[in-house]
Amino acid sequence: MNYNDLITKAVQTHFLSKDELVCLLSDTSCSDALFNAADTVRRQYVGDQIHLRGLIEFSNICRNNCCYCGLRRDNHKLTRYRLTEDEIFALAEHAATDLGLKTIVLQSGEGLYFDQKRMCHIIKKIKTLDVALTLSIGEKTLSEYQAYKNAGANRFLLRIETTNKDLYHRLDPGMSWQARKQCLDDLRLAGLEVGTGIMVGLPGQDIASMADDILFFKDIKADMIGIGPFIPHPDTPLAGNSGGTLDLSLKVMALTRLLLPDINIPATTAMEALAPSGQLKALQSGANVIMPNVTLNDYRKFYDLYPGKSSTNVSPDNSLAALRDKIASIGRSIATDYGFHQKKV
Ligand code: 5AD
Ligand code: SF4
């Protein structure tokens, strides 16, 4: 089949084999056709409204040592911080009440201070604000996930990063791919919406493994998928490597939209870090979510996952008002509901 036939098949059936995915991912001439198809399917299944999720990066302290990430524990150049519970709540209140955001995302490295008791306390307090609440705080036990759910959390983000187990074990020393997969299963069992995702362009990651990644998203029936290019960080072991491209990241994202047509897909900050219009391009290639950062500027620069991340976020372009204008400029509007995954397939 030529690429147009494959795209038509994906639009109509929401299924492609691994070989077919590999064929589209390696074809350098099909990007625009793929982006347009994903844009059409996005409109059909989740509509023109964009969901804004207010992101609070409440601590950059992490016990893990992921080779790609600026927050890894061996990066001693980084100033570490942890917000107080009052500071976290004040940010959430500002986002909900003044900015009108309907979802709050609490994200942190894997630190030990915010244990189950402290997290549940914060969750309960934020849930008084009439918002949906997403957590992105790493690998926990099933009973912790259940406790968060009981406290009022609605969703959880935990990227699988790659489904290539050897690559995962090389890049995430001391961690286990199987344990991470178990966490995704446990999140589902706990009744939370499950968000996962990958980086594109990791050293040693090939097209075939990205095809596996997309099939994995479908297999675990993910509610949300975040995809971003890998961007090398100078203070990590991967400093000398080349990063992922915007085009390939968008292609993986567009194919994810075609195969999982009704899920939530963010236009990620890493895409914007690679190109000034990266997020807008993503919104026109299958994405329907943006996660504006509502953390105070003083701390943002320390949540340094990869270069270009915090500077992107503090630029006036990325302020909420500018974001609203950008969204209007492509004929889209901002949703006023919580933006849960509404299953349609
Ligand atoms: N480039 C792009 N994304 C990164 N992440 C961590 N480090 C990098 C990097 N150098 C992503 C990972 C992680 C999420 C919080 O940030 O996918 O799950
Ligand atoms: Fe920690 Fe997450 Fe960075 Fe890994 S990717 S070092 S777990 S913050």
Side-chain angles (χ1 to χ4, degrees), residues 70-86:
L71 305 195
R72 66 199 306 271
R73 69 163 186 266
D74 283 354
N75 181 9
H76 300 294
K77 287 193 185 166
L78 184 68
T79 304
R80 304 285 169 166
Y81 73 91
R82 180 163 69 211
L83 302 190
T84 66
E85 192 179 320
D86 287 347

Side-chain angles (χ1 to χ4, degrees), residues 9 67 101 114 124 131 179 236 267 295 301 316 324 332 336:
K9 177 183 169 189
C67 292
L101 302 181
F114 287 101
K124 282 183 191 148
V131 287
T236 65
T295 318
K301 56 179 173 295
R324 287 180 200 278
R332 306 271 281 279
T336 52

Side-chain angles (χ1 to χ4, degrees), residues 6-80:
L6 288 178
I7 293 173
T8 304
K9 177 183 169 189
V11 168
Q12 289 172 352
T13 67
H14 308 303
F15 180 81
L16 289 174
S17 68
K18 179 173 175 182
D19 286 349
E20 290 169 334
L21 286 166
V22 167
C23 178
L24 287 170
L25 286 170
S26 17
D27 187 317
T28 50
S29 60
C30 70
S31 299
D32 286 338
L34 208 48
F35 301 160
N36 287 334
D39 197 41
T40 303
V41 167
R42 185 270 310 153
R43 184 175 306 118
Q44 270 170 12
Y45 280 83
V46 296
D48 276 335
Q49 294 201 324
I50 292 169
H51 299 281
L52 300 183
R53 327 281 205 200
L55 176 66
I56 300 175
E57 295 162 336
F58 67 94
S59 169
N60 68 353
I61 298 169
C62 191
R63 61 178 169 161
N64 293 332
N65 219 11
C66 307
C67 292
Y68 40 81
C69 176
L71 305 195
R72 66 199 306 271
R73 69 163 186 266
D74 283 354
N75 181 9
H76 300 294
K77 287 193 185 166
L78 184 68
T79 304
R80 304 285 169 166

Side-chain angles (χ1 to χ4, degrees), residues 104-297:
I104 301 295
V105 184
L106 294 183
Q107 186 168 73
S108 70
E110 286 195 27
L112 296 174
Y113 176 83
F114 287 101
D115 55 11
Q116 179 177 318
K117 194 165 161 231
R118 290 193 173 104
M119 274 322 297
C120 286
H121 198 249
I122 297 171
I123 293 166
K124 282 183 191 148
K125 213 161 151 191
I126 292 180
K127 286 299 286 186
T128 62
L129 294 169
D130 184 28
V131 287
L133 182 59
T134 305
L135 301 176
S136 177
I137 58 176
E139 297 185 17
K140 308 285 172 187
T141 62
L142 172 61
S143 76
E144 284 171 297
Y145 292 145
Q146 285 166 332
Y148 304 149
K149 166 76 183 170
N150 291 337
N154 304 100
R155 316 182 182 122
F156 203 102
L157 309 179
L158 183 75
R159 286 189 178 176
I160 194 73
E161 314 295 2
T162 173
T163 53
N164 178 332
K165 298 186 185 71
D166 290 341
L167 180 61
Y168 183 89
H169 292 131
R170 275 204 303 280
L171 297 183
D172 298 83
M175 296 175 76
S176 143
W177 189 91
Q178 210 54 51
R180 202 159 182 90
K181 164 75 167 67
Q182 185 64 50
C183 286
L184 294 174
D185 294 342
D186 289 348
L187 287 166
R188 175 75 64 208
L189 272 177
L192 291 153
E193 276 198 4
V194 179
T196 186
I198 57 153
M199 283 171 285
V200 169
L202 289 165
Q205 181 191 38
D206 59 12
I207 292 283
S209 103
M210 294 175 210
D212 284 333
D213 296 341
I214 299 169
L215 293 173
F216 173 83
F217 302 153
K218 202 167 166 71
D219 188 44
I220 67 159
K221 300 186 170 64
D223 298 299
M224 197 220 77
I225 294 295
I227 291 158
F230 159 62
I231 303 175
H233 188 296
D235 302 321
T236 65
L238 299 186
N241 289 272
S242 51
T245 65
L246 183 61
D247 188 67
L248 188 56
S249 308
L250 289 171
K251 281 174 80 176
V252 175
M253 188 196 77
L255 285 165
T256 300
R257 169 62 72 199
L258 295 182
L259 266 57
L260 293 92
D262 60 13
I263 65 165
N264 285 316
I265 300 184
T268 56
T269 311
M271 289 182 173
E272 187 77 2
L274 282 195
S277 56
Q279 269 181 330
L280 273 191
K281 182 78 191 148
L283 289 174
Q284 294 171 299
S285 310
N288 69 322
V289 171
I290 288 199
M291 296 165 62
N293 195 333
V294 299
T295 318
L296 291 181
N297 286 356

